[in-house]
Every structure is written in structure tokens, then in C-alpha cells.
Amino acid sequence: MTLALCLAAKGQGTTSPNPMVGAVVVKQGRIVGQGFHLRPGQPHAEILALRQAGTRARGATLYVTLEPCCHLKKRTPPCVPDVIQSGVRRVVIAMGDPNSLVKGRGVAQLRRAGLSVTIGVARREAEALNKAYSHWIKTKRPYVTLKAGMTLDGQIATASGESQWITSQQSRQEVHQLRGQVDAVLVGVGTVLSDNPSLTARTGPHFKKLASRQPLRIVVDSKLRIPLNTQVMTRQDQAKTLVATTQLAPAARRQALQKKGIEIISLPAARGRVSLPALLKELGRRGITSLLLEGGSEMNAAMLTAKLVNHVRLYMAPALLGGRNAKGVIGGKSPARLGQALKLHHVRTRSVGGDVVVEGDV
């Protein structure tokens, strides 16, 4: 199962909105077939592993990280019939599929066909691998990771707004890799106005080369104040941008952005700003399962207040800014009591370059 999980992870960043799945066929202690799902519309992991095994699959054991599918509402045929017809004797599954079209039905069909089925082997690892998929299936919203680079005293910019670069090159390299693994990156218009980020995933020693896969760039801008010459507005052939706005936005600004190939979506307003729950619901409807929040302090605060953040990852540089006017990682109004502080769970720490990374679940 460990090998199957490693295979599944090779699909990170390409399988969405499908889950990452790996499969291994073992006969008489030898691996005779293996495979992983690469992208929607392509064969599932079980099919690839069974094809590689061929006739050697008869009497073998199939290890798979997710319950085999059994429904027709997708681009590829269901896997359960092929698993049964392959002649495997036993199927070992890491986790059940939370999708109601599959949930328990795949296992039931396999057992009715006389196969021995074991479920729950390395379940925790499998669930961690597909946490974004499971969250999207259950909530119809993307799994949101709040990422920020900051000083040890929690500042993300100086009083003048300078923020490039607080963290090390190694930390920035890891963030570029993270962008390449998620479906979309989200910022507020304030971040665009102050930093003019490209929000692309880049590689190379100086991050000049675009990665093969780019996330959708999303800018929340209730009145369409975003300048047309900013980096997120240019080169839509390389990376797409979506702007979420409200009816408060001038029609002329809307038309100007659309002429540049920018997609505009109008959403309900909450206190004059884009409704963030409505935005995430729309993103989920579009099949966006994972979202990286790279906003400023006010956007971070708004997303946390709306309880839309699932995970926090903070890159902390060994530096102190101090002062009353520096910009903290979370804006908004501070709670009056310590008991109101948001507590993280399953906290982990590690080093990247000279920085310390702290992350945990909300």
C-alpha cells in the first residue's frame, strides 16, 4: 500500500477534480502491475495496473488507495467490472470514496462477486493525500490553504508596504511548487495594487521560467479598481485570471477587462464587498477543489472570519520588524479575549532554508 500511495502522489496537481489514486497488483509476493491516475479522462489507476499485470492478475491481490468506482456519471467507464473480470482474488483498499455515487457501493459489488475485500489499510495516509478532494465532495467548496511569508513577530510588510522579500529563496521556491499543485490562487485587489504579483508557478534559479501547469489566478475586486497593466491582467495565454466582483462595479470597467480576455463573475455583495462564501460556492461548482490564499492581512482576516480556511502555512523568516505601523498577517478587529483566539490542530514545524515553517489545520 505504501507503493500505491507513492504512485498516487504522482498525480498531484493534475488529477483535479478527480482524486489521486495509485494501484499495485501483487501475485505470490511479486509486483506484476502498477499504475496511477494522471488526469481526468485518462484511465484510472486500477485499470492501468491490471493492464500491466495482464493474465498474471488472476488469483492476485489488488492494492488500491481509494475505493474503485462503480458509476457511469464520468468520462471513463467504471472500474469495478474490470476488477472483477481481471480474476484478482483479493482487493485491499486504503479508504472509501466519499462520493455518494460510489460510497460503499464499489466494495459491495466486489464482495457480491466473491472477492475478498479489506478496507482501511493506511487509511490515514490516504485521507491526507486526498483531503482537498474529500472536502470538495462533502462541502462543494475548495479546500483553502492560507499561506503567508512573515517575520518572527508576525509582520508581512513594513509600514510603507514593502514585503519583497521577507522569506528566503528556498521558501519562495516551495511556494512556487505549491502553486503548481493547487487549482487556483486567490488574492484581494489590495494585494495587486501594493505588490503587483504575477501569481504564477515558476521554476529555475531565479523563478523566470513558467511551470508546465498554472493555477487559475483569482482577484477579489468589488468595484473593479484593478489596473489593466498589472501582471495578473497580462499574458492570459500563459495563465488565466478570473475577477470576482459585484454589481457595484462600473460597466465600462467590466467591458475593458473582458476585452483583455479576463473572465468577470458578479456575485452578491456583503457590506459592499464580494461575498466570500458565494465565491467559494461558485469555485466549487466549477470543479476547483484546492485554493491557495495569498492575500493581504484584510483578506486573510475576512476568509478566517467567514470560516472558509481549512489549513494555514506560515513561512517565518528570522527577522523582527516591530513598530505599530507594520502590517500583520491577519488584519481586521482583534478579539477581546485570549479564549477567542483561533487555535490550529495537527501543528507541524520544519525548516526551509533559514526560515521556519509552521502549519496546521483550522
Side-chain angles (χ1 to χ4, degrees), residues 261-280:
I262 309 297
E263 183 180 3
I264 310 293
I265 56 171
S266 288
L267 295 166
R271 298 181 181 178
R273 298 182 177 182
V274 172
S275 168
L276 296 175
L279 172 58
L280 262 65

Side-chain angles (χ1 to χ4, degrees), residues 27 32 62 70 144-145 154 171 196 215 239 262 337:
K27 187 171 186 178
V32 294
L62 170 66
C70 56
V144 178
T145 297
S171 290
N196 190 23
I262 309 297
R337 303 181 65 84

Side-chain angles (χ1 to χ4, degrees), residues 131-143:
K131 59 187 178 182
Y133 166 76
S134 295
H135 177 80
W136 175 68
I137 286 291
K138 293 173 183 177
T139 68
K140 307 302 180 187
R141 298 193 310 264
Y143 183 93

